[in-house]
Structures are given as structure tokens and as C-alpha cells.
Amino acid sequence: MAVARDEAALALLEAGLDGPERSRSSYWERERNEFTIDATGRFEGATVLGMVSRKRGLAHTLAHRILQTPHLWMGRRFPANGECQRLARVIAARQGRQTTLDFVRQALALAFIRAHVSLDRTDEASLVIGDGFGVMTALLLLALPKRRVVLANLTKPLLLDLVNVRKSVPGVSLALVSSAAEMDEALARADLRLIAVRADDSGLIQRAPIGLAVSMASMQEMNPPVVAEYFRILRTNPAERTAFYCANRMWKKLYDGTEVRFDDYPWRAGDQVLYDGPVPWEELHYDKKPPFWFHRPGGQKAMRLRLAFLEKDRGDDP
């Protein structure tokens, strides 16, 4: 059976929206009920996946740009930030959304990555582990037009990601893979720039050469065994080196009482750490009321960023 592509892939995801998922934590058991999405892109409700503002008039746009000034200033040290911010505005416009702080932060994240990690190899892929409206996936596709992206997510947010990526990157060809044979077929097709994987099928990603992986506030919503599985995949995929941009809460308690701790992720002493510390653009927020800017609570609720080349395991053949 041929791999499901484009509209067929979206229809397949829509058909499975109500099915059970082993990878779904108690957090997503509840949050998935807050919005609806179908294969045509019809979206209703609220979601923790990002800010959704359709107010795109001049006054609202100027207000956001002024309030985003401190964040844009943070990116002055990253040579690619100007281009990443421009692409974020393009993506927001194509999705019919205001360029909210979510877009600015994701552009800053990519600019930060590009300042530390070379993404020139076109024989490698980038992996996005959970995405918010497909923004990071779209940024990677537009900023690196010769490099493939693999996107992994739970079924319902994955469908939301894909319909928005298709708006953001017109003409992009995608495939949804569900078996090793389908993953191999997709990897062999040069015209397929986006490979989607349901979270329960995440083991298939091990077959792809992942040079960069990105998790932005996604692992903090997973059960620890699921987090560990993604680390295993990153350490065993065939890429010579795998850089991991991991920005997640220091600690979070899920609805069933499960505690997820950044320091408990399966890091190793052999990982080559390029940065480990706070995420300035995640800590600062803004509002339309004075004093306009405010900081996220610190302590265990603070965001932590680690960018590292993970120690690889070569004995686990995909």
C-alpha cells in the first residue's frame, strides 16, 4: 500500500481523531477536547497550542510590533533573526493570524539554533516534536528549502499542524507514515519535504537521519516513558550527529498527578552541551494594559533551554 499523501493523509488523520493513543498523557486527554479540527482546516474552540488572534488591522499590528520590541532586541546577537522574523510574519499572514508573541518566540528559537548549529546538510532532516499550529515546521521548511522536516505529534494536534503548514508553505508535499516500509518510501522520495508521524508511531523516526530535533513546551506535557522514547530515537537515528533544542518547563504536574521534570529527562554526561539555562524570550510576556510587560513565574515553573549534541548509540540498528 502506497504511503498516504497530501489530502489523503489529512483524511486519514481525521478518521482517527476519536481513537485511543498510548502516547496521550492525562494533560492531552483533557486539552484535546477544547478544540475541533477537520481535514478542510475548519477550526473551532481554544487551544493551549498558541495564541490565535485574527485582529490584523493596522492599529493591532502596530501595537504588537511595539510591544514585541524587547523580544526583537533579544535577537540582535543572532545573524539570522531578521530573516526568521520576516518568515514568521509571512506564516502568520498566510494563516490569517496576527503575528503574536508565539511567532516571534519561534523565530527567535530558530535564529538561536542557526547561530550555534550548522543546518547546511541536505541529506539530513529536522524533527519537530509537537508543534503549535505548525509554525516551527513552516519556519524550517521556508528557511531551509533544501532540507526535509519530520513532524511528530498526537493525532488531533498533528492534523491542526498539517492544515496550517499547508497554508503557510503553499505547494508543500507531505506524507503520513504508519510503517517502516512507508517511512522508507517517504525518505526515498525527494519531492516529499514533510513527513508526518503520529506519536504512537514515533519509533519510525529512528529510520530518518535527524540532524536537528526541536521540542518547545511539548515534552513537559508527556509522560516520562514517552520522553525517554524520543531521546532513544534521537540517540539511535542514522545521522552522524543530532542536535537537540529542548525548551520546556523545569517541572510540571499533569492532571493525573504525574510529575515531569526537565532534570529527569535522560540526559547524559557524554552530551555536548552548547547552551543550558533560561530562555529570555519565553520569560517575558506583554499585555495591552500597563505596565505592559511582565515576567513568567520563576522557580520550578520557569522554562529551561538546553541545546546539545546528544551522545549517539550506534548499536541499535534501525
Side-chain angles (χ1 to χ4, degrees), residues 163-233:
V163 296
N164 280 285
V165 170
R166 297 187 83 202
K167 294 177 185 176
S168 307
V169 189
V172 67
S173 184
L174 65 91
L176 174 68
V177 300
S178 303
S179 67
E182 290 180 356
M183 174 61 90
D184 291 345
E185 178 188 344
L187 291 170
R189 296 289 300 267
D191 60 320
L192 282 174
R193 295 205 54 222
L194 176 57
I195 300 175
V197 182
R198 284 168 287 212
D200 280 3
D201 298 325
S202 62
L204 301 175
I205 302 168
Q206 183 185 350
R207 309 180 75 83
I210 305 299
L212 167 71
V214 178
S215 167
M216 297 179 65
S218 60
M219 285 189 163
Q220 67 191 39
E221 299 164 354
M222 300 177 186
N223 291 324
V226 178
V227 173
E229 172 64 4
Y230 278 112
F231 270 81
R232 186 196 69 79
I233 291 164

Side-chain angles (χ1 to χ4, degrees), residues 10-310:
L10 301 184
L12 188 59
L13 283 173
E14 182 180 14
L17 287 180
D18 296 326
E21 292 177 283
R22 300 184 310 276
S23 304
R24 193 190 300 158
S25 67
S26 64
Y27 180 86
W28 273 107
E29 283 290 354
R30 181 180 299 186
E31 296 297 335
R32 68 186 298 274
N33 297 319
E34 299 300 314
F35 69 97
T36 61
I37 182 70
D38 65 20
T40 69
R42 187 183 300 110
F43 169 82
E44 293 181 0
T47 172
V48 295
L49 289 168
M51 305 174 192
V52 183
S53 176
R54 307 291 182 187
K55 298 177 181 179
R56 300 173 58 204
L58 180 59
H60 285 94
T61 299
L62 288 175
H64 277 281
R65 288 299 296 273
I66 291 170
L67 292 169
Q68 290 163 2
T69 300
H71 296 85
L72 297 173
W73 181 250
M74 292 175 190
R76 68 192 185 281
R77 295 174 290 116
F78 312 140
N81 188 54
E83 175 65 5
C84 291
Q85 296 296 339
R86 183 189 70 80
L87 291 175
R89 293 191 293 273
V90 169
I91 293 167
R94 289 176 177 174
Q95 291 188 6
R97 299 165 60 197
Q98 177 60 256
T99 307
T100 59
L101 188 53
D102 282 348
F103 288 95
V104 173
R105 286 174 178 154
Q106 299 213 47
L108 278 164
L110 181 54
F112 176 88
I113 292 168
R114 295 181 72 179
H116 292 83
V117 178
S118 172
L119 301 177
D120 294 336
R121 292 191 59 163
T122 58
D123 60 334
E124 293 182 342
S126 302
L127 168 66
V128 180
I129 304 172
D131 205 350
F133 290 87
V135 175
M136 178 55 72
T137 301
L139 277 170
L140 287 164
L141 289 168
L142 291 174
L144 306 166
K146 295 183 179 180
R147 191 176 170 106
R148 195 193 312 262
V149 177
V150 178
L151 171 59
N153 213 335
L154 295 165
T155 301
K156 196 169 187 179
L158 181 58
L159 179 56
L160 180 63
D161 288 338
L162 293 180
V163 296
N164 280 285
V165 170
R166 297 187 83 202
K167 294 177 185 176
S168 307
V169 189
V172 67
S173 184
L174 65 91
L176 174 68
V177 300
S178 303
S179 67
E182 290 180 356
M183 174 61 90
D184 291 345
E185 178 188 344
L187 291 170
R189 296 289 300 267
D191 60 320
L192 282 174
R193 295 205 54 222
L194 176 57
I195 300 175
V197 182
R198 284 168 287 212
D200 280 3
D201 298 325
S202 62
L204 301 175
I205 302 168
Q206 183 185 350
R207 309 180 75 83
I210 305 299
L212 167 71
V214 178
S215 167
M216 297 179 65
S218 60
M219 285 189 163
Q220 67 191 39
E221 299 164 354
M222 300 177 186
N223 291 324
V226 178
V227 173
E229 172 64 4
Y230 278 112
F231 270 81
R232 186 196 69 79
I233 291 164
L234 297 183
R235 296 189 188 281
T236 57
N237 77 82
E240 181 180 351
R241 296 206 302 173
T242 297
F244 187 24
Y245 178 99
C246 183
N248 285 272
R249 286 251 299 262
M250 289 289 296
W251 171 87
K252 188 167 185 174
K253 180 179 284 189
L254 307 184
Y255 294 127
D256 64 353
T258 298
E259 296 186 17
V260 186
R261 300 180 186 276
F262 189 98
D263 285 335
D264 289 344
Y265 295 175
W267 306 105
R268 293 182 184 173
D271 297 338
Q272 181 187 344
V273 178
L274 305 179
Y275 177 85
D276 186 12
V279 199
W281 48 88
E282 294 285 354
E283 293 180 341
L284 184 65
H285 297 243
Y286 63 78
D287 189 75
K288 61 183 178 181
K289 298 178 181 179
F292 302 116
W293 294 277
F294 60 97
H295 284 84
R296 177 193 293 268
Q300 290 187 322
K301 293 184 177 181
M303 293 289 287
R304 171 100 166 266
L305 166 61
R306 182 172 296 179
L307 176 63
F309 284 105
L310 299 184

